Amino acid sequence: MVGGERVMVTLKELPIEDYIVSGHRMCAGCGPAIAARMALKAAGPNTIVVNATGCLEVATTIYPYTSWKIPWIHVAFENAAAVASGIEAAIKALTRKNLMKQQPNIIAFGGDGGTFDIGIQALSGALERGHRFLYICYDNEAYMNTGIQRSGATPLGAATTTSPPGKVIPGKKEWKKDLIGIAVAHGIPYAATACISYWSDYINKVKKALSFNGPTVIHVLSPCQLGWRFNSNETIKIGRLAVQTRIFPIYEVEYGKYRLNINVTKPLPVIEYIKTQGRFRHLLEPQNSYIIENIQKNVDLQWNRLLKLCSME
């Protein structure tokens, strides 16, 4: 596949083999575990993974065991993109010396804490320098690994251990960052949003992203049953609701051109998403109804903005 070519993968075409396997300690219904498994099915065995500290790293490599069947390196919260850059530069040097024939895929995984906040500087530098690798942010909208603290990805109004709801402050006070907007501002070849609940869209985006000769970014929504407070058998349902309420739009940006991948023409009201999760329970109280109204207004505003960017207004 050449850069940017869309090759659709069907369910029957997915490889049976997994490259992150059972035995890990991820929670039942864990969104990030699903995100990593799907991505590696798309990438295949000729892949090197760089993994920032977080749920995915901690729970898949309980010393002396590992769930990874491919080359994998654990790095700090803040430098996954920098380490991926170094690996890419080393591969280039080995190739020039005819010491490496086959070019492996390089995928860096980071949670929202290690991407939106702590790792944003390293990611920005790597994107600006133009290193060829795919950065996947598995977004569970808080620092779940260290105690469910709020991050730059935590949505307005959500309850976390550092944004607890009370009489004065009803949950997180700030809006979620626009990660893809930040990535696109670097002029990279490809960036996209995805959700684990739409596996075909996500897997095909991973395959497409790996085909570009330059840095690419995928922001994949990965619901967390522990931090979001829903039953572990509802992960896929919750992800679908995020998309169908337009809270999390699914789109891609190729060389600056926006394309909407899932056009939600008849959206559900945002309250249908909010009422499924314990982290938003306090928003259902009458005195906090204005917050739900503000969320709905912002969702509508951002959707209309996206339609304009996609030339679909």
Side-chain angles (χ1 to χ4, degrees):
M1 180 168 67
V2 298
E5 181 182 348
R6 188 74 163 180
V7 178
M8 299 303 293
V9 177
T10 66
L11 187 61
K12 291 182 179 180
E13 293 171 329
L14 288 178
I16 295 175
E17 186 169 7
D18 284 311
Y19 304 103
I20 176 172
V21 297
S22 60
H24 55 69
R25 309 309 199 265
M26 305 294 273
C27 298
C30 172
I34 297 170
R37 184 184 180 208
M38 286 181 175
L40 294 181
K41 278 187 176 292
N46 186 33
T47 302
I48 298 171
V49 167
V50 180
N51 198 174
T53 296
C55 292
L56 185 61
E57 171 267 322
V58 169
T60 58
T61 55
I62 308 298
Y63 183 82
Y65 307 107
T66 179
S67 288
W68 302 86
K69 295 179 67 177
I70 54 176
W72 175 93
I73 181 170
H74 164 225
V75 297
F77 254 127
E78 67 272 15
N79 65 344
V83 172
S85 301
I87 292 172
E88 186 256 8
I91 289 171
K92 280 185 176 178
L94 292 171
T95 301
R96 285 196 301 268
K97 296 177 181 180
N98 294 319
L99 296 174
M100 178 173 273
K101 302 297 182 183
Q102 193 175 23
Q103 299 295 308
N105 299 312
I106 303 171
I107 299 179
F109 285 106
D112 52 284
T115 305
F116 280 67
D117 303 334
I118 301 175
I120 193 71
Q121 180 179 2
L123 178 58
S124 177
L127 299 183
E128 184 268 333
R129 292 190 301 271
H131 295 280
R132 182 175 182 172
F133 72 98
L134 167 58
Y135 191 101
I136 297 178
C137 172
Y138 63 91
D139 181 10
N140 52 20
E141 298 190 326
Y143 289 85
M144 300 305 181
N145 174 54
T146 55
I148 318 177
Q149 298 91 353
R150 59 85 81 196
S151 77
T154 305
L156 180 81
T160 71
T161 54
T162 51
S163 62
K167 294 181 179 179
V168 178
I169 301 175
K172 191 194 174 199
K173 299 185 294 181
E174 301 82 16
W175 297 103
K176 181 171 184 166
K177 285 183 187 178
D178 178 9
L179 178 65
I180 293 301
I182 294 170
V184 169
H186 290 76
I188 63 174
Y190 185 76
T193 63
C195 177
I196 60 168
S197 304
Y198 295 84
W199 67 267
S200 179
D201 174 79
Y202 174 44
I203 285 177
N204 281 290
K205 281 176 175 172
V206 171
K207 291 184 75 67
K208 183 174 182 178
L210 290 170
S211 73
F212 287 93
N213 186 23
T216 53
V217 175
I218 293 178
H219 173 196
V220 56
L221 186 67
S222 308
C224 171
Q225 55 87 14
L226 179 65
W228 296 16
R229 302 176 199 167
F230 59 80
N231 293 330
S232 60
N233 63 344
E234 296 181 324
T235 302
I236 301 303
K237 171 188 172 183
I238 298 294
R240 286 200 187 105
L241 279 171
V243 175
Q244 294 302 319
T245 54
R246 295 178 174 172
I247 283 176
F248 194 84
I250 303 298
Y251 63 97
E252 60 187 345
V253 188
E254 185 175 341
Y255 293 112
K257 181 177 176 58
Y258 281 72
R259 182 183 299 111
L260 188 65
N261 303 119
I262 299 178
N263 188 7
V264 183
T265 57
K266 295 181 180 180
L268 296 171
V270 295
I271 195 169
E272 294 301 316
Y273 176 74
I274 286 170
K275 69 185 183 182
T276 62
Q277 301 158 59
R279 61 176 177 161
F280 294 126
R281 185 183 303 118
H282 57 286
L283 298 185
L284 301 176
E285 298 172 1
Q287 67 271 23
N288 291 327
S289 61
Y290 73 96
I291 299 176
I292 297 178
E293 292 174 5
N294 287 340
I295 293 171
Q296 183 69 69
K297 289 178 182 178
N298 188 64
V299 165
D300 295 340
L301 178 68
Q302 295 304 322
W303 181 264
N304 289 330
R305 174 179 174 271
L306 179 59
L307 290 182
K308 289 180 180 179
L309 289 170
C310 297
S311 301
M312 294 176 61
E313 59 177 335

